[in-house]
Amino acid sequence: MRRRLLAPALRTLPFLVPFLVALAAWAAWLGWDQQRDVHPDGSTSGPYEAWQVIGLVLTLLVPVCGAVSRGHVAGAITGTTAGLTAAAWYDWSDDSTGLFAIGVGLVVIGSLAGTAAVAGVMALAGRGVGRTAR
C-alpha cells in the first residue's frame, strides 16, 4: 500500500531534482548580481559576468549528466530547462519594458538546446561504454 502512495512522487523525481538544482544554481550564480556595469565611454553591460554564466553551466552539468546516466534523459532536459526558465522569469519579470519575455524565451531555447546536446552526447557515450572491439 505504501509503495502505491509513493510511486507517483518517485516518478516526478527525475524532473524535480534537475528543476530544483537549476533554480538553486541560478540563485547562487546569477541571482545576487543585479547591477549593470557602466564603462568609461558611457556604455553599459551586464549585469552578469562571463564567469558567472560559465559557473552556472558547469554546475548544471552535474545533475544533467547524473540524470542521463540513470536513464532519465527527458527529466534531465525538461527539468533543467523548466528550472532555468522559472528562475529567469522570476529574476527578470520586474522589467518595465516587457522585453524580459524575449530574454526568457532565449533562455528556454538555449537551455533546451544545451541540455539536449549534453544529454544526447551522454546517452550515446553510455551506449558505447560496455562494447568491446571485435
Side-chain angles (χ1 to χ4, degrees):
M1 176 75 166
R2 188 172 194 183
R3 284 189 178 199
R4 280 192 210 153
L5 294 175
L6 290 177
L10 292 176
R11 280 193 297 256
T12 63
L13 283 179
F15 169 83
L16 193 59
V17 170
F19 176 83
L20 293 174
V21 170
L23 282 175
W26 181 286
W29 286 103
L30 305 178
W32 55 270
D33 194 358
Q34 302 296 318
Q35 299 299 319
R36 293 197 168 274
D37 299 326
V38 180
H39 303 287
D41 64 357
S43 64
T44 60
S45 65
Y48 312 122
E49 299 291 332
W51 63 267
Q52 291 172 282
V53 178
I54 292 168
L56 173 65
V57 169
L58 292 176
T59 301
L60 291 176
L61 282 175
V62 174
V64 170
C65 292
V68 171
S69 69
R70 288 173 178 78
H72 303 295
V73 176
I77 295 169
T78 58
T80 303
T81 300
L84 289 176
T85 302
W89 186 276
Y90 178 79
D91 196 18
W92 299 340
S93 63
D94 60 350
D95 176 36
S96 61
T97 66
L99 291 175
F100 77 93
I102 293 171
V104 171
L106 292 173
V107 167
V108 171
I109 293 167
S111 60
L112 186 61
T115 54
V118 169
V121 168
M122 285 287 301
L124 288 175
R127 288 184 186 158
V129 167
R131 296 185 182 174
T132 58
R134 293 182 186 218

